[in-house]
C-alpha cells in the first residue's frame, strides 16, 4: 500500500501523520517519530480523511447564471468570465476595486503566490487574510518586544522540561490535545473565565471576568516586583524600558486587581510564587487573551511579566503564543497580509520593496502600498471607495468574521465574489463563481508549524473530478490578466524556490531551506539563511547573508530552533518592555445587556465548521450550537438545560441550546463559533478592533439571554440549527 509521511490538515500543531490507501479508502495514523505529537492525534486528525470524499465535495467550477442559481461550468468559461469581469471593474474603478482574502491554512507556497498575485497581477493594495482574526495581537506585541514574531521561539518539546507553565486564555486540551503531553509535565496555571478541560488539569485556575487579563497581568507584575522576584541582572543586561512599565504596574495593587478581575488576592499571590519559584517556566498566550480591542497591550503585559522574571531568551524558559491555524505561522510571513512582503518584510520599507520587486521582475514603484486590515476590508466591500470584487482563498468569513450579518450584507453587495474551496462553505454559497480546489492529501507544499519549523505536506491521491490546486487557479487568472505564464508557476517546488529568494535577508529568512533538505528529514526552523552555519546570529534575524563564497564548502546553516539565547532581534539586542495600561472592553454589561458573552472552540469542530461539520463522527460529537450558562443565571433568565435560548447583543441574536455549567462565572456565557445560519456566534460579536493589530474583539460582548419567543422553557426536542447550509445549487439567499 502506498504511504506518505505528511501532516494533519487542521491546526498549527501540524501533527505528523502517515497517510495510506487510495481514494475512498484513505487511512491515517500518527507518525510516531514526529516529536510534536509523539504518536498522538486528536479526533479531528483521525477523521481528516473523511473530508476527501465528502458527498458534497466540489469537483467542477460553478457559475451563477441569470436565474440566480449556481450551475456547473468549465474551467475555461469560469476563469475567462472572472478575468473579464475583473478587467471591467478595474477599468471602471481602478485596481483597488478588487480585493483578495486569504487564509492561514494555505501552504507557504499558496500564501506567497496569493500576495504576489494581488500586488503584481491585480496591482491591488486590498489584500488581507483571516490570520488577522487569529494571532495578530500576539504578533504585534512579540515584534515590539523581541524584534521578531515567531509564535514559539523554541521547540515544543522544550515545554516538557518546564516546572511551571502559565496559560493565559488558551485551552489546548481541546484545541491542541497532543500538546498536553508536553504541558502536563509541568504544574499549570490557567487563566480562563471558564473551567475548561485545560483548567481541570491545572494546579491553579484563575477565573477572571472576560476582558480583564490586562489588569490581571499588571497585577501579577506588581506582585512579582514587590515580593522581590524581579530578575535584576537580566533586566539590566537584556532589557530596556522596565521603569516606564513599572510605573503603570505600580498602581495595580492586588486588591484593586481583585476588584476589576474577580481573581482573589491569594490566587494572584500563588500564581506569582509558583512562577518565581520555578527554575524553568513559560508564559504562553492563546486567543482568550489576544482577541480583544486591547489584545496587543494584553499580550505586552504578559511579556512584561515574563521579562521581569527573566524568562525569555533563556533555554528552558520563555514566552510564546500558541498560533492556531495549520499554517498560521508561515501564513503571516510570505506577504498575504495587508502591510507585508515576503520574508516578513514591511511593504513601507524601500529596501524591502526593491528586493522583492527584483525577485518578481517588476519596478518597486509598481508595488501598491499597504491596504485595509481584514475586518476593515470586509466592512468596506461594495461601499463607496471599497472593493467591488473579492477573491477568497481559504476562509469562510460569512461565519467567522465578527458582526457576521453586516459582513453577509457586504459580501452580497459585491459586483463579483469568487471563492476557491473544496466544500460549499457558507461563503462559497454566496459567490458568483466557485472554484473547486485540491485538499491536503492531494497536493505538495510546505507548512510552518507553531514553533517555526518548516514541514512538508505530501501528496498521496490524485484530485477528484476537475479540482485544481490554488496555484493552478492563480496561474490561470494571472495569464488571463496579461501576466507572463512563467511568472506564476504551478509547481509548489518552483514557487518555494522563488520564495527562498524573496525571503532572503528578511526577518523570516527561508533561503537555506529546500525540499531536498526537508525530504532528507532535517528539522529546519527559520531563520535559516543560505549562508553556512554560524552566519546568522541565533539571537536575531539573518543578515543579508547567502553570498559567502566560502559557503559552498561549509555545512549549510542548521536553522534556528531557539531564538534570542544571545540577543533579542532589535538592533541593540535588548528586549523592550511596553508601557501599557488597563482599559475596559469596547462593550461592558449594562441594564439592557447584563451579561458578558465570550466565544471559542470545542474539540470536535474546527473554525467556521465548513470542514468538520461535514464529518459524521465529528458532527455526532458536536452537532449544534449551544450556550454554556451558569445554573443560577439560567434560572434568573427562565432557562433550563436543553432549552432553546436566544442570545442577543446590540448587533443581533443567535439561537443556541442551553448547557448548564456550574463552574462558569455567573456573569458570563460562552458560545462556540463553529456553527452556521441562525446559530452563528458571530451574529452577536463586536467588530471593535485593536488599534494596532486590528484584531476584532471576539472574546467580549454584552448580551442578554432568554427563551426563544413562543417556545416553552423546557428542553427542545428538535435540532435547533442546520449543520450544513442550504443545498448547493440554489438561489442566492
Ligand atoms: N478543536 C479545535 N482546535 C483548534 C481550532 C478549532 O477551531 N477547533 N482552531 C485552531 C485555531 S485557528 C486557533 S486560533 C486555536 C485557538 O486555541 P485557543 O486559544 O485555545 O482557543 P479558544 O477556544 O478560542 O480560546 C481559548 C480560551 O479562552 C477563553 N477566554 C475567553 N475569553 C477570555 C478572556 O477574556 N480572558 C482569558 N484569559 N480567556 C478567555 C475561552 O473560555 C477559551 O477556553 O485553536 C486551534 N485549534
Ligand atoms: N466568534 C469568534 N469568531 C472567530 C474566532 C473566535 O474565537 N470567536 N476565531 C477566529 C480565528 S482565530 C480564526 S483563525 C478564524 C478562522 O475562520 P475561517 O477563516 O472561516 O476558517 P476556516 O473555517 O478554517 O475556513 C477555511 C475555509 O477555506 C477552505 N480551505 C481550507 N484549506 C484551503 C486551501 O488550501 N485552499 C482553499 N482555497 N481553501 C481552503 C475550508 O474548506 C474552509 O471553507 O475565525 C475567527 N473567528
Ligand atoms: S491537534 Fe491539531 S494537528 Fe494534531 S491532530 Fe488535532 S487538529 Fe490535527
Ligand atoms: Mo485562529
Amino acid at each position: 500500500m502506498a504511504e506518505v509521511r505528511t501532516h494533519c490538515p487542521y491546526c498549527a500543531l501540524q501533527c505528523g501523520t502517515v497517510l495510506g490507501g487510495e481514494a475512498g479508502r484513505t487511512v491515517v495514523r500518527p507518525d510516531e517519530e514526529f516529536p510534536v505529537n509523539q504518536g498522538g492525534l486528536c479526533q479531528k486528525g483521525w477523521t481528516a480523511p473523511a473530508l476527501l470524499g465528502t458527498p458534497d465535495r466540489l469537483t467542477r467550477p460553478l457559475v451563477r447564471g441569470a436565474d440566480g442559481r449556481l450551475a456547473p461550468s468549465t474551467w475555461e468559461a469560469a476563469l475567462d468570465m472572472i478575468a473579464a469581469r475583473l478587467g471591467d471593474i478595474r477599468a471602471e474603478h481602478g485596481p483597488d476595486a478588487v480585493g483578495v482574502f486569504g487564509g492561514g491554512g494555505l501552504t507557504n507556497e499558496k500564501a506567497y503566490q496569493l500576495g504576489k498575485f494581488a500586488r503584481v497581477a491585480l496591482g491591488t493594495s486590498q489584500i488581507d487574510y483571516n490570520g488577522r482574526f487569529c494571532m495578530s495581537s500576539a504578533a504585534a506585541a512579540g515584534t515590539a518586544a523581541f524584534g521578531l514574531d515567531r509564535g514559539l521561539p523554541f521547540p515544543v518539546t522544550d515545554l516538557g522540561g518546564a516546572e511551571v507553565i502559565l496559560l493565559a486564555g488558551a485551552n489546548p486540551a481541546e484545541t491542541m490535545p497532543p500538546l498536553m503531553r508536553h504541558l502536563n509535565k509541568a504544574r499549570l496555571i490557567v487563566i480562563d473565565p471558564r473551567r475548561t478541560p485545560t483548567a481541570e488539569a491545572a494546579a491553579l485556575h484563575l477565573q477572571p471576568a472576560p476582558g480583564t487579563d490586562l489588569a490581571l497581568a499588571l497585577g501579577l507584575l506588581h506582585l512579582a516586583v514587590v515580593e522581590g522576584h524581579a530578575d535584576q541582572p537580566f533586566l539590566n543586561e537584556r532589557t530596556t524600558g522596565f521603569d516606564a512599565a513599572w510605573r503603570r504596574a505600580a498602581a495595580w495593587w492586588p486588591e484593586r486587581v481583585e476588584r476589576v478581575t474577580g481573581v482573589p488576592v491569594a490566587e494572584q499571590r500563588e500564581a506569582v510564587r509558583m512562577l518565581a519559584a520555578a527554575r524553568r517556566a513559560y508564559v504562553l498566550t492563546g486567543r482568550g487573551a489576544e482577541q480583544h480591542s486591547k489584545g496587543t497591550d494584553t499580550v505586552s503585559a504578559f511579556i512584561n511579566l515574563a521579562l521581569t522574571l527573566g524568562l525569555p531568551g533563556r533555554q528552558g524558559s520563555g514566552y510564546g503564543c500558541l498560533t492556531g491555524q495549520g499554517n498560521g505561522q508561515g501564513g503571516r510571513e510570505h506577504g498575504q497580509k495587508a502591510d507585508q512582503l515576503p520574508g516578513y518584510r514591511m511593504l513601507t520599507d524601500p529596501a524591502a520593496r526593491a528586493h522583492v520587486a527584483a525577485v518578481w521582475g517588476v519596478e518597486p514603484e509598481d508595488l501598491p502600498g499597504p491596504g485595509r486590515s481584514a475586518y476593515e476590508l470586509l466592512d468596506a466591500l461594495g461601499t463607496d471607495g471599497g472593493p467591488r470584487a473579492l477573491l477568497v482563498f481559504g476562509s469562510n468569513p460569512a461565519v467567522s468574521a465578527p458582526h457576521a450579518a453586516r459582513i453577509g450584507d457586504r459580501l452580497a453587495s459585491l459586483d463579483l465574489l469568487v471563492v476557491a474551496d473544496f466544500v460549499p462553505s457558507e461563503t462559497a454559497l454566496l459567490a458568483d463563481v466557485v472554484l473547486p480546489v485540491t485538499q491536503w492529501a492531494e497536493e505538495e507544499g510546505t507548512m510552518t508549524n507553531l514553533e517555526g519549523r518548516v514541514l512538508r505536506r505530501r501528496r498521496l491521491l490524485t484530485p477528484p473530478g476537475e479540482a485544481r490546486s490554488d496555484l493552478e487557479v492563480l496561474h490561470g487568472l494571472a495569464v488571463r490578466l496579461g501576466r507572463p505564464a512563467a511568472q506564476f508557476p504551478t509547481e509548489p517546488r518552483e514557487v518555494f524556490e522563488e520564495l527562498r529568494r524573496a525571503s532572503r535577508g528578511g526577518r523570516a529568512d527561508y533561503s537555506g531551506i529546500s525540499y531536498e533538505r526537508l525530504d532528507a528529514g532535517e528539522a529546519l526552523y527559520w531563520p535559516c539563511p543560505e549562508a553556512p552555519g554560524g552566519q546568522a546570529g541565533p539571537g536575531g534575524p539573518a543578515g543579508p547573508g547567502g553570498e559567502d563564497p566560502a559557503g559552498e564548502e561549509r555545512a549549510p546553516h542548521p536553522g534556528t530552533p531557539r531564538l534570542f539565547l544571545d540577543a533579542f532581534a532589535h538592533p541593540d539586542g535588548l528586549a523592550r518592555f511596553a508601557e501599557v495600561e488597563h482599559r475596559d472592553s469596547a462593550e461592558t454589561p449594562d441594564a439592557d445587556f447584563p451579561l458578558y458573552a465570550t466565544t471559542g472552540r470545542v474539540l470536535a469542530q474546527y473554525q467556521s465548521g465548513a470542514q468538520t461539520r461535514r464529518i459524521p463522527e465529528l458532527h455526532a460529537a458536536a452537532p449544534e450550537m449551544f450556550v454554556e450558562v451558569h445554573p443560577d443565571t439560567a434560572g434568573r433568565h427562565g432557562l433550563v438545560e436543553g432549552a432553546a435560548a436566544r442570545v442577543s447583543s446590540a448587533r443581533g441574536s443567535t439561537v443556541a441550546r442551553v448547557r448548564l455549567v456550574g463552574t462558569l462565572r455567573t456573569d458570563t456565557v460562552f458560545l462556540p463559533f463553529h456553527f452556521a445560519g441562525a446559530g452563528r456566534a458571530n451574529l452577536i460579536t463586536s467588530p471593535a478592533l485593536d488599534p494596532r493589530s486590528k484584531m476584532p474583539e471576539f472574546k467580549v460582548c454584552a448580551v442578554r439571554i432568554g427563551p426563544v419567543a413562543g417556545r416553552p422553557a423546557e428542553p427542545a426536542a428538535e435540532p435547533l440549527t442546520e449543520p450544513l447550509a442550504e443545498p448547493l445549487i440554489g438561489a442566492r439567499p
Side-chain angles (χ1 to χ4, degrees):
M1 176 165 94
E3 277 193 344
V4 293
R5 254 172 226 286
T6 185
H7 296 271
C8 174
Y10 298 115
C11 85
L13 208 54
Q14 285 295 289
C15 291
T17 57
V18 181
L19 197 63
E22 57 206 50
R25 282 187 312 177
T26 316
V27 283
V28 71
R29 63 184 155 84
D31 178 352
E32 303 285 338
E33 278 153 43
F34 192 62
V36 169
N37 53 311
Q38 297 179 339
L41 284 184
C42 81
Q43 210 178 359
K44 296 185 297 305
W46 281 110
T47 55
L51 195 69
L52 295 164
T54 189
D56 62 351
R57 175 84 196 259
L58 297 173
T59 55
R60 297 179 67 186
L62 302 170
V63 176
R64 198 173 294 280
D67 61 354
R69 301 165 78 87
L70 282 169
S73 178
T74 64
W75 276 103
E76 287 303 305
L79 295 177
D80 285 350
M81 193 276 245
I82 298 168
R85 304 258 317 253
L86 291 178
D88 292 346
I89 291 168
R90 278 151 43 95
E92 196 177 332
H93 303 282
D96 276 355
V98 179
V100 178
F101 202 84
L106 301 178
T107 60
N108 289 319
E109 292 78 0
K110 296 176 184 185
Y112 171 83
Q113 201 76 325
L114 193 65
K116 177 179 175 183
F117 175 81
R119 272 76 182 230
V120 174
L122 295 171
T124 182
S125 68
Q126 301 296 300
I127 174 170
D128 210 48
Y129 79 123
N130 68 7
R132 186 73 73 172
F133 296 162
C134 188
M135 38 15 76
S136 60
S137 291
T143 303
F146 308 122
L148 191 69
D149 155 41
R150 201 181 85 189
L152 298 184
F154 45 78
V156 153
T157 44
D158 280 10
L159 294 168
E163 291 179 346
V164 172
I165 299 175
L166 180 142
L167 290 162
N171 180 19
E174 289 189 90
T175 54
M176 300 187 173
L179 183 67
M180 294 306 284
R181 292 163 190 239
H182 307 285
L183 299 179
N184 274 336
K185 295 177 187 160
R187 298 175 72 216
L188 300 180
I189 304 168
V190 170
I191 305 177
D192 197 310
R194 297 189 301 143
R195 191 155 180 90
T196 60
T198 313
E200 288 287 347
L204 181 63
H205 175 203
L206 310 183
Q207 211 168 353
T212 63
D213 298 71
L214 183 42
L216 182 58
L218 284 160
L220 298 180
L221 174 59
H222 178 105
L223 278 172
V225 172
V226 301
E227 299 201 347
H229 302 304
D231 184 338
Q232 209 54 56
F234 178 89
L235 294 180
N236 296 341
E237 288 156 30
R238 301 209 50 192
T239 72
T240 176
F242 172 79
D243 291 344
W246 168 245
R247 272 197 297 276
R248 301 291 185 172
W252 285 94
W253 56 91
E255 293 74 14
R256 183 180 175 206
V257 172
E258 176 173 334
R259 272 203 309 279
V260 171
T261 66
V263 176
V265 171
E267 292 180 8
Q268 299 172 43
R269 281 189 204 284
E270 178 60 13
V272 168
R273 278 192 199 128
M274 280 173 66
L275 276 172
R279 280 164 300 177
R280 291 173 306 282
Y282 290 89
V283 172
L284 304 177
T285 58
R287 303 306 84 78
E290 300 166 8
Q291 290 173 323
H292 295 274
S293 59
K294 54 175 176 297
T296 306
D297 285 353
T298 302
V299 175
S300 291
F302 281 108
I303 293 176
N304 285 351
L305 172 66
L307 286 172
T308 300
L309 296 168
L311 305 181
R314 260 176 49 199
Q315 183 154 347
S317 293
Y319 162 78
C321 144
L322 296 172
T323 294
Q325 296 184 83
N327 198 26
Q329 181 67 52
R332 68 207 210 217
E333 300 161 0
H334 307 303
Q336 62 174 328
K337 205 171 165 202
D339 52 358
Q340 247 185 34
L341 288 170
Y344 221 130
R345 289 179 161 94
M346 300 317 289
L347 198 44
T348 45
D349 170 8
R353 295 171 68 88
H355 174 87
V356 174
V359 175
W360 288 351
V362 299
E363 297 302 320
E365 54 276 18
D366 292 340
L367 295 177
R372 294 180 172 93
S373 74
Y375 183 78
E376 294 168 310
L377 175 62
L378 295 171
D379 187 45
L381 297 176
T383 63
D384 245 8
R388 312 222 47 94
L390 186 73
L391 312 180
V392 179
F393 286 80
S395 183
N396 186 13
V399 174
S400 58
H403 200 353
R406 157 97 187 153
I407 297 311
D409 290 347
R410 295 292 93 234
L411 289 167
S413 76
L414 286 166
D415 296 341
L416 178 68
L417 175 61
V418 178
V419 175
D421 208 314
F422 33 73
V423 290
S425 73
E426 287 69 21
T427 308
L429 290 174
L430 295 171
D432 299 290
V433 187
V434 180
L435 301 174
V437 295
T438 53
Q439 287 191 45
W440 56 292
E442 301 151 1
E443 58 188 30
E444 299 279 331
T446 60
M447 305 280 280
T448 305
N449 74 357
L450 77 172
E451 22 164 48
R453 176 173 170 181
V454 182
L455 307 169
R456 283 276 281 114
R457 168 179 280 194
R458 294 192 182 86
R459 168 174 168 149
L460 176 77
L461 305 171
T462 45
E466 294 173 25
R468 291 186 182 177
S469 76
D470 293 286
L471 294 178
E472 288 172 311
V473 174
L474 294 173
H475 174 91
L477 288 174
V479 169
R480 283 171 177 78
L481 291 165
R483 304 310 304 184
Q487 206 173 29
F488 287 89
T490 57
E491 273 305 313
R493 183 186 294 258
E494 211 178 316
V495 176
F496 191 81
E497 288 299 314
E498 187 182 308
L499 180 162
R500 292 175 62 182
R501 294 200 301 283
S503 76
R504 174 176 297 160
R507 285 193 269 191
D509 191 333
Y510 281 50
S511 61
I513 301 174
S514 65
Y515 277 32
E516 289 74 22
R517 290 185 74 184
L518 295 172
D519 288 341
E522 283 193 73
L524 297 175
Y525 301 75
W526 68 261
C528 183
E530 206 164 17
Q535 291 290 300
E547 309 303 334
D548 184 345
E552 272 138 53
E553 284 116 66
R554 288 197 269 154
H557 192 284
T560 316
R562 294 180 187 84
L563 289 159
F564 313 141
L565 294 186
D566 298 326
F568 294 100
H570 287 298
D572 60 7
L574 302 179
R576 277 152 183 58
F577 276 88
E579 187 184 344
V580 289
E581 183 54 89
H582 179 71
R583 57 185 185 274
D584 279 343
S585 299
E587 246 175 42
T588 48
D590 59 18
D592 288 337
F593 300 106
L595 297 167
Y596 289 107
T598 190
T599 64
R601 293 159 166 81
V602 301
L603 173 61
Q605 296 286 356
Y606 190 69
Q607 312 278 64
S608 71
Q611 293 164 264
T612 45
R613 277 183 275 123
R614 296 188 149 74
I615 295 181
E617 199 175 325
L618 300 179
H619 171 68
E624 62 173 3
M625 182 61 168
F626 64 87
V627 57
E628 292 182 358
V629 190
H630 190 278
D632 295 350
T633 311
R636 276 205 311 279
H637 296 277
L639 293 167
V640 296
E641 171 79 23
R646 183 173 294 285
V647 186
S648 312
S649 75
R651 286 155 298 281
S653 70
T654 186
V655 177
R657 192 181 294 276
V658 171
R659 274 192 199 172
L660 298 183
V661 178
T663 52
L664 191 61
R665 294 176 58 99
T666 53
D667 59 1
T668 302
V669 300
F670 169 82
L671 307 103
F673 80 103
H674 310 296
F675 299 95
R680 278 173 293 172
N682 280 318
L683 291 170
I684 62 169
T685 51
S686 158
L689 301 182
D690 180 289
R692 280 158 71 202
S693 65
K694 308 290 180 180
M695 166 71 82
E697 190 137 80
F698 287 119
K699 290 294 192 258
V700 187
C701 67
V703 297
R704 65 169 168 261
I705 183 167
V708 171
R711 290 204 199 227
E714 61 191 38
E718 71 279 28
L720 291 183
T721 45
E722 290 299 317
L724 298 179
E726 303 302 304
L728 173 57
I729 317 281
R732 196 167 192 155

